[in-house]
Amino acid sequence: MWLWDLEAGTRARLFPARRTAPYSLVWSPDGAGLYAVFPFTRHPEFHQATVARLWWHDVAAGNDREIDLGWERGLGVERVWPLADGFLALLADGVRHRAVRYVRRGESWVSQPLAGEHAERIFGLALSDDGRAVAYRHSTASRREQLYGARLEGSRLTGPRQLTKLNEELADRPLARTEIVRWQGANDEEVEGILYYPHGWQEGKRHPLVLSIHGGPAAADLDLWDDDWAYPSNLFAERGAFVLKANYHGSSGYGLDWVESICCGRYYELEIPDLERGVDALVARGLVDPDRVGTMGWSNGSILSIQLTVENPARYKAAAVGAGDVEWISDWGNVDFGHGFDSYYFGATPLSDPERYLAKSPLFRLDRVTTPTLIFFGTEDRNVPPGQGWTHYRALQHLGRAPVRFLLFPGEPHSLGKPSHRLRKVEEEMAWFDRHLFGTTPAETPAVAPDSPLAAALARTGAARHEGRLGVAAGAPARLVPEVVPHAGLEVGRFEVTRAQWAAFDPAAIPAPGTEELPATGISHERALAYTAWLSELTGARYRLPAAAEAEALYAAREGENTLDRWAGYAPNPEDAAALLAAAAALGGEAPLLLPVGSFPPARAGERGEPVFDLGGNAAEWTTAADGKGLPRGGSADRPHDGRERAPSPGPGYVGLRVVREPAAGSASGGAATP
């Protein structure tokens, strides 16, 4: 790092004694110097476990020195906020931060703890340019985070006011009560954590417990709102469970001795007793049922959860582990930072001490595991490669002593980013704990997703057929007519009327071979009405076209299926659409973009009825307005998808029909599909 004098064109070396880049670097308001936050460790080589310390560079003197914060635990947020006479800092203090104003007195800085309504739970802040106002993040583990503003008067925050209304959708939802808890862990040293209570907890009743173990290990759980896809604490509390988050040995926020305590070969040796004794303490308080304990975590939280299932399999009735190691020799070789992490925490490389790596690897003791284990990994994880997950899964599957399930998330690195993947992770996790810890039996997650192409193919295969064609037989002699099913409050054709079905009405319209299941199109509104009249006479039931007023509900949930967007590969504007149709004309035929009915997943009406196909595209469908005029509705293959129904009318070759059947007198809509 260099400090340049832009006028003189000279430079000076900054902080030459530091071996790493700073977390942050910021000028004092008067430009007299720079504040820099550096990681600090006593290890001569590796910066794996550190505390954040503050340094000062005096520009005039050209020298650097560390600022004595008077606080062994270091900074909790890896930056400071300069003021005219000093700076504001958030010091590490276990599960909370300590907000402090430092005022310069000669060559030193004197600390003045901030006072005010929220001063004990500030987790980030910003200063106004004049240093007289502060915006800050405030929350607790049981209170949603908000941004607040306040005046800074000396070392006191006055007149706080809420600036945001975040997560208002949770305002009326029950949230877990939380408590800061402490117990004697490894070496009889105090361990601190956060306990989430079950929703609706009543004293005197024992509940299940889920250990929720943070990653790192040089990280910490704080007394702030932190429910997310990786650690959904309130979903466990909603199911009647306590959740314990423990800042085990090796966590940050407690000073250098604590964060370095598991280095140099002591990895696992202190953290596991810390966690086990935390469970023991809650059992001893009469809160937790000792026969209903589970564990979960991501990264290092997964690693420790796996080790718990090895060392005490009888205690842990369910485990969900994301991106966790089971075998350390390959980790050293395959992980981007494997040499630094493993050499630091194990005190050796696998080349110098392979026996230590074998002894530390849970893989070779997985025959002890009886805990049902759910494993998550991203396919592109470079922090813990997915091969670790495959090894874990294969071993448990091979040994056959514990139920095991393995989920891979395509394209994801060490942390899941896609909302759909995060949702899947939480849903699978909750179902796993429901089944194996809470004793409920949730519905199995179907292998065939309802909106998948396979589900569409299966639904189409299950549709009624007569002599190999979609539809059912009616009349004597038997004629092919549409299958009608209950959907969205109507008895409606499962498919658009096909060319084979239309030919039963109009023998002159015999379809060319291979086109029998295409929708019948090129039909006027009058001819569509004539078809429904013929169908009514043939079957003895009353058939009609959908009323225009019914179209809104019938096509409301439609998506762009076989529309021009699908053929273009993008959402075309009107000029694009004209060019696309001109190009499509080279395919030949009156309507070359039509596809066989049922080519896309069906619309489902939930509790209201059966799956129905092609409501969002293929052929537009005739409806009848109140004045008797025909109006084509629904998407069509020759027009862009437009949910606002502002696209131009489809061409005649892309307009067909779907029938509605009136319920028989005295009967309700619904029941089995019939002609």
Side-chain angles (χ1 to χ4, degrees), residues 535-565:
L535 199 57
S536 300
E537 182 178 354
L538 179 70
T539 63
R542 184 182 172 224
Y543 284 80
R544 59 178 175 82
L545 299 178
E550 295 168 333
E552 182 176 351
L554 188 59
Y555 302 110
R558 68 183 177 89
E559 299 293 337
E561 295 168 354
N562 185 22
T563 61
L564 201 57
D565 305 52

Side-chain angles (χ1 to χ4, degrees), residues 137-261:
R137 295 170 50 204
H138 168 72
S139 74
T140 72
S142 54
R143 181 177 179 181
R144 294 168 292 130
E145 182 176 83
Q146 303 294 346
L147 298 182
Y148 288 81
R151 294 185 299 277
L152 179 62
E153 298 178 353
S155 60
R156 187 169 188 83
L157 297 175
T158 63
R161 61 189 181 90
Q162 186 173 328
L163 303 177
T164 60
K165 292 184 178 180
L166 305 177
N167 295 308
E168 283 296 289
E169 67 274 13
L170 299 178
D172 297 326
R173 302 292 292 274
L175 300 177
R177 160 193 166 188
T178 58
E179 173 189 349
I180 308 305
V181 291
R182 299 174 180 86
W183 64 93
Q184 298 304 113
N187 299 332
D188 290 328
E189 294 178 300
E190 185 177 81
V191 181
E192 187 175 52
I194 303 168
L195 181 65
Y196 292 72
Y197 277 68
H199 293 180
W201 173 75
Q202 294 181 346
E203 190 170 0
K205 181 180 179 181
R206 290 185 181 268
H207 291 259
L209 170 69
V210 176
L211 275 180
S212 179
I213 308 174
H214 72 70
D221 284 311
L222 302 178
D223 183 20
L224 53 72
W225 178 259
D226 194 29
D227 267 41
D228 62 11
W229 65 269
Y231 296 94
S233 302
N234 269 280
L235 293 184
F236 289 115
E238 186 179 50
R239 286 160 166 77
F242 284 97
V243 175
L244 178 62
K245 295 184 174 183
N247 287 334
Y248 48 83
H249 279 84
S251 300
S252 58
Y254 296 85
L256 201 57
D257 289 344
W258 189 267
V259 76
E260 290 187 334
S261 63

Side-chain angles (χ1 to χ4, degrees), residues 328-352:
W328 289 106
I329 293 176
S330 63
D331 182 90
W332 179 83
N334 293 326
V335 172
D336 287 345
F337 52 84
H339 173 61
F341 186 96
D342 298 355
S343 300
Y344 175 80
Y345 283 110
F346 298 153
T349 71
L351 305 180
S352 62

Side-chain angles (χ1 to χ4, degrees), residues 415-554:
S415 178
L416 302 184
K418 291 184 178 180
S420 59
H421 290 166
R422 292 178 170 186
L423 178 61
R424 176 80 185 278
K425 183 266 184 185
V426 173
E427 289 175 338
E428 291 276 356
E429 193 165 58
M430 291 301 112
W432 193 258
F433 279 89
D434 284 344
R435 183 176 302 110
H436 296 291
L437 181 63
F438 303 130
T440 56
T441 53
E444 294 287 342
T445 301
V448 180
D451 58 351
S452 67
L454 180 56
L458 292 172
R460 190 173 187 272
T461 300
R465 289 180 178 271
H466 173 64
E467 296 182 348
R469 301 293 177 210
L470 289 172
V472 295
R479 307 287 185 90
L480 183 67
V481 300
E483 178 190 14
V484 174
V485 295
H487 181 88
L490 297 172
E491 293 187 12
V492 64
R494 190 188 292 276
F495 302 97
E496 297 162 329
V497 173
T498 67
R499 293 183 181 181
Q501 293 166 1
W502 182 263
F505 162 69
D506 183 1
I510 300 298
T515 68
E516 294 88 351
E517 307 289 32
L518 290 175
T521 56
I523 298 166
S524 68
H525 183 243
E526 290 73 18
R527 288 290 284 165
L529 291 173
Y531 178 79
T532 61
W534 170 81
L535 199 57
S536 300
E537 182 178 354
L538 179 70
T539 63
R542 184 182 172 224
Y543 284 80
R544 59 178 175 82
L545 299 178
E550 295 168 333
E552 182 176 351
L554 188 59

